[in-house]
Amino acid sequence: MKRVLAVTALLAAACTATPASAGSVQRSVTNRNVSIETVVQFGDNVQPVTIEESSRINIARVIQIGGTGTVDATIIQNGTRNYANVIQVGGTTNAIIGQSGVSNTADITQIGNSTNALLLQIGDMNSGAVRQFGRFNWLAIFQFGR
């Protein structure tokens, strides 16, 4: 919970620093070797986020602070090393992470009435962590070695 409050404070500071990005901030850097994408959304009507990365090293982070509605995030990564992080707050939270590579790391935190997460990792070194805080929680984790 402290982490969510810290993220909310950070979002408030970012909002006042960049008034042109009133409800959404997106940053990305991509080339053949490295892909880094960060999406931050807040407000009552956050839009679904889909990130697809296929560089050697892939890093994706999605932070969605919604109202009572639904927040959705999908991250698909195919590379040697894959890192994904999703933080969601909303009435219904949905996260899907699919990773294929030698080393895969995923982290999902969800707070809402209904939380749903699917994590698929294909690789030799897979690490995943999921935290769900809600009344109705659903989670499926599939980890396969090459």
Side-chain angles (χ1 to χ4, degrees), residues 96-100 104 118-122 140-144:
I96 298 172
I97 297 177
Q99 297 175 314
S100 177
N104 302 305
L118 172 62
L119 175 57
L120 168 64
Q121 295 176 315
I122 301 169
I141 298 176
F142 300 96
Q143 294 176 313
F144 301 101

Side-chain angles (χ1 to χ4, degrees), residues 23 41-48 65-71:
Q41 296 179 325
F42 51 94
D44 288 335
N45 296 314
V46 298
Q47 299 299 307
I65 310 297
T68 58
T70 301
V71 294

